[in-house]
């Protein structure tokens, strides 16, 4: 794992965004694994800026999101479908037909999970996967547990995740379930970029980087991936022994 520590979120966005922009420049049909949440937003802003400056085009790019809430209408203001449109897709020239998010409202959840895995298998895994990390060490919505999930599945969200994300649900009706890529799906990415900022992430970041590889901290599996870069601010890095 390569660890990079920055002063500001904007610096992280520019550094992580440049890696992705270079991948897109080298391969106009690049396959991008995307995340929602606050962590990747400055990276998306950087990519939008590069598109507006005429530096890159997403016309041939395809995108595969990590996860989506269950039992939330696709067009709800808090769905990840809406999030991706607002924060990236509506501002670049990506073909909407090339943007993929698991359908959290599918009548047959198992069939939807198998469809999503088959889609990602069919491209041989994404070229680069962007990740955030939960305060409980989740990546995607792979919550702490006894094992690492191989493929996409339906998960009951943990209390800490509900607490972190319910700030976005003004009516308090945060969904309790989500569909998420499994750890196996995430690990099939050729390259992984994980972004974490703020002191609330410091314990999870330490467990991910310096703890044992264990499903109790799902992100710790990234220690076994050959190409992971972790972008941190000083607050998120503050408990790392190696950074002191
Ligand atoms: C989002 C996702 C989650 C978030 C994580 C951190 O698609 O899969 O794992 O990356 O909950 O969220 P933020 O970035 O809002 O702190």
């Amino acid at each position: 794992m390569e660890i990079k520590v920055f002063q500001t979120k904007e610096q992280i966005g520019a550094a992580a965004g440049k890696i992705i922009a270079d991948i897109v420049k080298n391969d106009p049909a690049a396959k991008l694994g995307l995340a929602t949440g606050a962590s990747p937003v400055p990276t998306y802003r950087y990519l939008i800026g590069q598109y507006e400056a005429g530096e890159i085009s997403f016309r041939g790019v395809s995108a595969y999101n990590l996860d989506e809430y269950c039992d939330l209408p696709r067009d709800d203001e808090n769905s990840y479908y809406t999030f991706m449109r607002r924060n990236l897709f509506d501002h670049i020239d990506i073909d909407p037909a090339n943007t993929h998010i698991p359908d959290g409202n599918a009548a047959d959840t198992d069939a939807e999970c198998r469809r999503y895995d088959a889609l990602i298998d069919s491209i041989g895994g994404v070229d680069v996967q962007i990740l955030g990390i939960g305060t409980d060490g989740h990546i995607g919505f792979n919550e702490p547990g006894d094992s690492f999930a191989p493929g996409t599945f339906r998960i009951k969200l943990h209390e800490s995740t509900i607490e972190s994300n319910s700030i976005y649900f003004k009516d308090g009706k945060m969904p309790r379930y989500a569909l998420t890529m499994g750890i196996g799906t995430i690990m099939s990415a050729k390259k992984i970029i994980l972004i974490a900022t703020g002191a609330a992430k410091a314990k999870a970041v330490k467990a991910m980087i310096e703890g044992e590889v264990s499903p109790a901290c799902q992100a710790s599996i990234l220690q076994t991936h050959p190409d992971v870069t972790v972008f941190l601010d000083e607050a998120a890095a503050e408990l790392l022994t190696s950074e002191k």
Side-chain angles (χ1 to χ4, degrees), residues 34-41 65-68 80 83-84 130-136 138-142 161 164-165 168 180 186 195-197 201:
L34 303 180
T36 62
S39 304
V41 169
N65 263 81
L66 283 169
D67 41 22
E68 178 59 283
Y80 285 170
F83 179 98
M84 288 311 302
I130 303 177
L131 297 175
I133 183 172
T135 54
D136 63 1
H138 71 223
I139 48 176
F141 273 134
N142 291 271
T161 302
S164 303
N165 290 12
Y168 300 112
T180 180
I186 293 171
I195 300 167
T197 56
K201 300 288 174 72

Side-chain angles (χ1 to χ4, degrees), residues 1 137 145 148 203-224:
M1 276 175 154
F148 294 111
K203 264 177 84 172
V205 165
K206 185 177 176 64
M208 164 177 70
I209 296 171
E210 295 178 356
E212 61 170 323
V213 176
S214 155
C217 173
Q218 295 273 319
S220 64
I221 193 76
L222 298 177
Q223 292 175 29
T224 69

Side-chain angles (χ1 to χ4, degrees), residues 42-106:
T43 303
Y44 296 155
R45 253 189 249 128
Y46 176 88
L47 291 172
I48 292 165
Q50 291 291 294
Y51 165 71
E52 287 173 345
E55 293 291 326
I56 46 172
S57 167
F58 293 85
R59 213 169 304 127
V61 167
S62 50
Y64 304 82
N65 263 81
L66 283 169
D67 41 22
E68 178 59 283
Y69 290 118
C70 292
D71 311 316
L72 191 67
R74 192 178 79 154
D75 292 314
D76 188 278
E77 61 167 343
N78 284 306
S79 75
Y80 285 170
Y81 175 84
T82 300
F83 179 98
M84 288 311 302
R85 291 184 54 172
R86 279 194 191 150
N87 288 286
L88 184 63
F89 299 154
D90 281 355
H91 309 286
I92 58 176
D93 62 345
I94 196 164
D95 180 347
N98 290 339
T99 64
H100 306 280
I101 299 186
D103 178 2
N105 293 303

